[in-house]
Amino acid sequence: MKAALWERFWQKKATRRAWTGLKVFLFLALLAPLLANERPLVCKIEKQTYWPLFRGMLCDWNLASWSDALLPPTDWAEKKYDWALYTLIPYSPGTIDRAALGAKSPLEPQQVKTAQFRHWLGTDLSGRDLTAGLLHGARTAMLVGLVSMLVAGFLGLLLGGLAGYYGDTGLRISRAQLLLGLLFLPLAIFYGFLVPYSSGGMAWRILVFLTLLICGWLLGRVLKRIGGAGPERAFPIDSLVLRVIEILDTIPDLILIMAIAATLKEPSVYYIMAVVGLINWTRIARFVRAEFLRIKSLTYIDAAKVLGFSELRIIWRHAMPNALGPFLVSLALGIAAAILLESTISILGLGVRADQVTWGSIMAQLLGKHDLDWWLALFPGLAIFLTVLLFNTLGKGVREALGE
Amino acid sequence: MIWSYLFRRLLVIIPSLLLIMALVFGLSRLLPEDPVAALAGLNNEDNTLDEQSREQAYRQKAAILGMDKPAFYFNFQPAAYPDTLYRIPFKERRKTLLALLDQSGNWPATMAYYRTVLDLKAALRHAPDTLAVEQKAKILDIANALQYNSEKGEIEKQLQGLQAVKINDSALKPYLANATNNLQKAHQYWLANPKQGLLYQPSLRWQGFDNQFHDWLKNALKGNLGTSNIDSQPVWDKISQGLRWTLPLGLTSLLLSYLLGIPLGVMAARRRGSRFDRILNSTLFLLAALPSFWLAMVLLLVFTNPNLGLNFVSITALNYLSNDASWGEWFDKALPNLLLPVLCTTYPLLIVKVMQMRSSMSQELDSEYVRTARAKGLSEKTVVWKHAFRNALFPQITLFANLLPHIIAGSVIVENIFNVPGMGNLLFESLGVQDWPVVFGILIFSALLTMLGVLIADLLYAWVDPRVNLEETKTTA
């Protein structure tokens, strides 16, 4: 069945193209620092050979330090080289070319050393190379999609799956389990997020939080096993999840994210993305819930129940693989939506640090300006358009392959 | 039946609204700056008030704003934390105190130490000017550093510096000797008596109904969303001024998307697989990936640029239009400037509308009763328009509610780019000047609007389609 699905996915030309496009996008995004960098790949200074590009990466990770000849590690264009070999684009996204200040068009004559130093797509208002900005923007866009969908995918799969599989009557919990839940949830919140630990960051806090929740859950299971848990009642998890989804969907995401972005002390794309994920899981949860509702009425699930498989095993091994298709569809569409949302926020100038380059922040320079710097609108716009189109096409491809 | 449904719907809406308000209130508590100090004008550089009057001004403003009350009905925090922290003026002080407390867990000792720092500053103020200017300045530097420092090592260093300053001047000595001594002693006590255990002990305390959230909620339910921090205008007035632009704009786009989307959707459904359907489908698919802000920007650049000769749009015209402008004036000045914004807010809605109409019409055309009608020999026109179209149209009525959040979100960016003085632009400007009451007012208002939209849509649906049994909508969910 899987093979047939794959074949149908491949059949369409548009999907195949989008698949290739995805590979190109990932290649550019992952290798952006290697493709566009102001540091030379290899250079010779006073008969010594240096590899500033790779050295710089090691330095960024604190694995090495700069050689004396290369200090200070700024103004790479001003250094005296015997000879130097640059990577494809000899500019970083933040490199300011003083000869090309104030938005130089790609068609204008430019004062550059060699043809390699030409700004092929022009420069922005502060003289930064647009090609380098676009490449690093692709990296930001990739991270945006990744981070937000990691959060949204986790929440959507978990809550949508639970709601769809158990419905309002399927999840039976005993009084003792309910009490344990009421005890351990506040405790997990307290020890996870309220206690002022002198060391350990957010990761440690999340770890404590999850550990305590799992402890409570395990304790409940043990109580149930030994039979000391009291009578069981149905827990209306479906209604609960639906209600939360309903509430979240009444708030326009853009307005909420704008408000959150503005309250942040240190604006960063990553915070925004986590928030996008925390809001956008509802779409995925709806998809997954609908799919689980359908799957649980299929006979093979009944068969698995009759065979005495544990619930976790049925959900994870039997129901989940069948819900994967719709999940992938909503994931692809969600990535497209997240990239659009992020570029909207950064074009408004919210949530992005000044030194972070995103496709939206390049275009933001045009707001309130009356010159027709067409390249600053065209190229980032095209990048956003193509990327969103790419993920929409992939989502559509999976959906059609599933036969919907 | 409708009334009991309405009642049950309201039972759902009210808790949702309360939750959203709690969320917004929580957000407002996360703001980095101190609203009381900002509103009392105490953050200004040229403020020359001395410490005591600053404190007094702060307390007065806090009392006026109701910020001298606990934040919420209860607090849930480590047992070491005091529940009266909100009474201490200035956010920075509260922050420093908490940071100090996090290292010791002993609130009385922490507070006692901090008070000696403030006492030293007060003593310095009262001390007469003598020849020992340098010493005084040095002590003042140390006191200022201690006031906002919470790091153990740094405090130690400053206090050693204080020890090193010898106060020989006989006029200065009675003022400062005592204060510095007390400071050293209180610091020793703070260091020697930690109660770390209290930091790990949860405590839940009830704080009563007289709290900030309760007040805010009461006002908001009365329709009073507060006043703007910038010009003291009521938030609701500002929002309703913005709505004069946003509502017509949004409703026009909604109407246009229905007027264009429904015929297009029907045509596509009738000729499924035809060239028209394929072209429409792929055009909409491409348009869906086109960010509306991008289109807005490109249109703006093209139509305001004098070099291209197409500059019939003026970016400032709407701001100069007075409230009581005549209809002729309005048509003449506003309309050409509103064409582009309407275009940019309409096309995302149109995509959704055409897709929905196409799929619901196809579903109807495939159904049994249409086949029966055709078999009976009814004309194609009757089958499509009298039978299928009517049934396909019903769900569209409710779907306008789903578009409301799109309309509000779309207005933010488009109004900002085209400089339409509507609610979206108000939101953006308020964010820029950190006018939080307006921001949160808009957030609540748009959530409320969406909820009402959903409610109206449900009722409309029941009205047009008698088969819908509102009693059962919940049990099937």
Side-chain angles (χ1 to χ4, degrees), chain A residues 46-276:
Chain A
E46 289 161 8
K47 288 181 188 149
Q48 278 273 351
T49 312
Y50 298 98
W51 299 78
L53 208 169
F54 299 111
R55 194 64 185 242
M57 290 181 165
L58 293 178
C59 291
D60 288 344
W61 296 329
N62 286 326
L63 293 174
S65 53
W66 289 105
S67 326
D68 289 338
L70 294 175
L71 284 174
T74 48
D75 293 327
W76 292 91
E78 315 289 315
K79 289 191 200 305
K80 294 259 180 297
Y81 304 108
D82 299 344
W83 60 268
L85 179 68
Y86 283 90
T87 167
L88 199 61
I89 312 289
Y91 298 102
S92 290
T95 315
I96 291 168
D97 183 358
R98 289 191 189 83
L101 288 177
K104 281 274 179 291
S105 157
L107 305 177
E108 263 176 79
Q110 296 171 358
Q111 302 175 330
V112 284
K113 281 184 264 180
T114 61
Q116 205 200 0
F117 279 86
R118 202 182 150 75
H119 302 284
W120 292 105
L121 298 181
T123 62
D124 70 359
L125 292 181
S126 25
R128 295 176 297 187
D129 186 61
L130 195 59
T131 326
L134 286 182
L135 279 171
H136 284 256
R139 203 178 163 77
T140 317
M142 181 188 71
L143 284 169
V144 160
L146 205 72
V147 174
S148 66
M149 283 307 113
L150 235 109
V151 177
F154 174 73
L155 283 174
L157 207 56
L158 183 74
L159 294 174
L162 284 177
Y165 183 79
Y166 286 115
D168 266 349
T169 51
L171 184 64
R172 304 189 67 80
I173 61 168
S174 61
R175 197 175 300 153
Q177 276 173 313
L178 188 69
L179 284 177
L180 277 174
L182 286 180
L183 179 70
F184 270 84
L185 184 64
L187 279 185
I189 292 174
F190 179 78
Y191 288 105
F193 302 111
L194 297 177
V195 167
Y197 298 111
S198 47
S199 61
M202 205 60 202
W204 161 253
R205 286 176 180 270
I206 291 173
L207 189 73
V208 170
F209 177 74
L210 290 178
T211 312
L212 271 172
L213 282 188
I214 291 170
C215 279
W217 182 68
L218 284 177
L219 210 61
R221 281 188 72 92
V222 169
L223 269 180
K224 205 171 172 178
R225 189 63 59 82
I226 58 176
E232 289 192 338
R233 280 247 184 96
F235 184 74
I237 184 144
D238 194 28
S239 300
L240 201 72
V241 170
L242 277 180
R243 191 68 58 241
V244 174
I245 291 179
E246 209 172 280
I247 292 176
L248 279 179
D249 281 354
T250 51
I251 310 176
D253 343 357
L254 182 64
I255 296 187
L256 184 61
I257 292 175
M258 279 171 77
I260 293 177
T263 50
L264 287 176
K265 273 167 242 166
E266 292 167 52
S268 153
V269 177
Y270 307 116
Y271 283 126
I272 300 294
M273 280 318 104
V275 177
V276 170

Side-chain angles (χ1 to χ4, degrees), chain B residues 81-96:
Chain B
Y81 286 19
D83 32 343
T84 51
L85 191 72
Y86 56 87
R87 289 199 196 134
I88 291 161
F90 300 109
K91 195 166 200 159
E92 287 135 18
R93 265 191 214 178
R94 293 195 286 269
K95 243 159 90 185
T96 316

Side-chain angles (χ1 to χ4, degrees), chain A residues 186 190-191 194-196 247 250 254-255 258 262-263 265 340 343-344 347-348 363 366 370 372 377 381 385 393 396, chain B residues 16 20 31-32 76-78 102 200-202 285-286 289 291 293-294 297 301 305 408-409 413 416 428 431 443 447 450:
Chain A
F190 179 78
Y191 288 105
L194 297 177
V195 167
I247 292 176
T250 51
L254 182 64
I255 296 187
M258 279 171 77
T263 50
K265 273 167 242 166
L340 261 183
S343 52
T344 308
I347 203 174
L348 290 173
M363 278 196 270
L366 278 179
H370 290 287
L372 201 65
F385 174 70
T393 312
K396 197 178 160 198
Chain B
S16 314
I20 288 171
L31 299 178
F76 182 52
Q77 56 187 21
D102 284 348
Y200 296 93
Q201 187 183 323
F285 194 70
L286 288 178
F293 61 82
W294 188 72
M297 237 158 115
L301 284 177
N305 196 288
I408 294 170
I413 187 96
N416 181 41
F428 184 69
L431 279 172
L443 200 59
T450 317

Side-chain angles (χ1 to χ4, degrees), chain B residues 180-335:
Chain B
T180 47
N181 252 340
N182 285 344
L183 176 59
Q184 299 283 11
K185 262 191 238 155
H187 178 247
Q188 287 306 323
Y189 184 78
W190 177 73
L191 274 181
N193 294 286
K195 288 185 184 167
Q196 296 281 352
L198 285 178
L199 288 171
Y200 296 93
Q201 187 183 323
S203 103
L204 179 73
R205 295 192 199 98
W206 176 253
Q207 296 193 303
F209 284 105
D210 191 20
N211 60 52
Q212 292 179 33
F213 179 68
H214 194 76
D215 288 352
W216 185 73
L217 196 65
K218 240 178 9 198
N219 279 327
L221 290 180
K222 277 191 225 152
N224 174 8
L225 290 171
T227 53
S228 158
N229 282 350
I230 302 300
D231 54 10
S232 313
Q233 249 190 33
V235 169
W236 174 242
D237 285 5
K238 294 194 104 171
I239 293 181
S240 58
Q241 260 168 31
L243 282 179
R244 286 192 350 185
W245 291 103
T246 305
L247 267 187
L249 208 66
L251 290 179
T252 314
S253 325
L254 194 64
L255 198 71
L256 277 177
S257 69
Y258 266 79
L259 285 181
L260 289 173
I262 286 177
L264 280 175
V266 172
M267 275 202 276
R270 280 185 68 186
R271 290 187 249 163
R272 246 168 306 159
S274 70
R275 222 169 97 181
F276 170 75
D277 185 31
R278 283 206 313 272
I279 290 174
L280 183 70
N281 235 329
S282 25
T283 314
L284 291 184
F285 194 70
L286 288 178
L287 275 180
L290 189 72
S292 64
F293 61 82
W294 188 72
L295 185 70
M297 237 158 115
V298 171
L299 286 177
L300 187 77
L301 284 177
V302 171
F303 287 107
T304 53
N305 196 288
N307 299 340
L308 297 179
L310 290 168
N311 51 329
F312 71 88
V313 173
S314 153
I315 194 78
T316 50
L318 296 181
N319 294 13
Y320 291 126
L321 210 63
S322 66
N323 285 355
D324 44 330
S326 69
W327 280 103
E329 205 176 340
W330 206 87
F331 262 98
D332 191 36
K333 287 213 177 118
L335 221 53

